[in-house]
Amino acid sequence: MTTTESRLPNPAVLVPELKDIGGALHKATGNGTIPQTTISLVQLRAGQIVGSTYLTALHTGNLRKAGATEGSITAVASWRDAPYFTDAERIALELVESVLTPNPWGERVPDELYAQASEQYDDKALATLIMAIGQVCFFLPLALIGKPLPGASPAEQWRP
């Protein structure tokens, strides 16, 4: 099925405050404590988990702009056995999976995973990583319900 227009007009026009929220989230996650590639890896993985072509296309592009290798980009879905990721990136990917994937055996982010994350990231960096996960989660409903067009410019991705 080919979609030629989104379900929703541009939400930033409908709710102008969205630009301020998006800008604040971008500023908070861009504070320099986490590499942009790590943020985009996490956000790409979130898009894959929820099945959003828009988010996977967006964050794949962001990874390319940030200088990520094609090997690491294509291996995000199978990161656990891929040789492309640092320990810090692996923890970040495990955190986003834990947040977005139900765990039938207990809490989603167990103490052990938090301890591993704390070994890789200081408090500010870990809080920034958590905000990066929250940032993509904030936009998940717009991506899944509004269905902006993947790969289109921001001006063209929403229904007129």
Side-chain angles (χ1 to χ4, degrees), residues 20-140:
D20 295 335
I21 295 167
L25 288 169
H26 183 73
K27 183 177 179 183
T29 60
N31 66 22
T33 61
I34 300 286
Q36 184 56 51
T37 51
T38 302
I39 290 169
S40 293
L41 285 169
V42 162
Q43 294 179 338
L44 171 57
R45 187 66 189 123
Q48 291 172 338
I49 291 167
V50 301
S52 171
T53 301
Y54 169 76
L55 288 173
T56 57
L58 173 67
H59 295 298
T60 295
N62 289 345
L63 279 163
R64 286 189 178 111
K65 287 178 195 167
T69 66
E70 287 300 311
S72 67
I73 294 169
T74 58
V76 169
S78 58
W79 65 268
R80 289 182 189 276
D81 64 356
Y84 306 107
F85 304 105
T86 66
D87 290 342
E89 290 168 337
R90 289 178 183 285
I91 289 297
L93 289 164
E94 189 164 353
L95 279 172
V96 72
E97 283 190 4
S98 295
V99 167
L100 291 174
T101 307
N103 182 352
W105 301 283
E107 67 181 308
R108 290 186 188 206
V109 182
D111 290 341
E112 181 182 330
L113 177 54
Y114 182 84
Q116 291 170 343
S118 294
E119 290 173 12
Q120 294 295 323
Y121 299 102
D122 65 25
D123 288 342
K124 183 176 181 178
L126 186 54
T128 302
L129 178 59
I130 292 165
M131 285 186 276
I133 295 169
Q135 179 183 31
V136 72
C137 289
F138 177 81
F139 289 104
L140 286 178

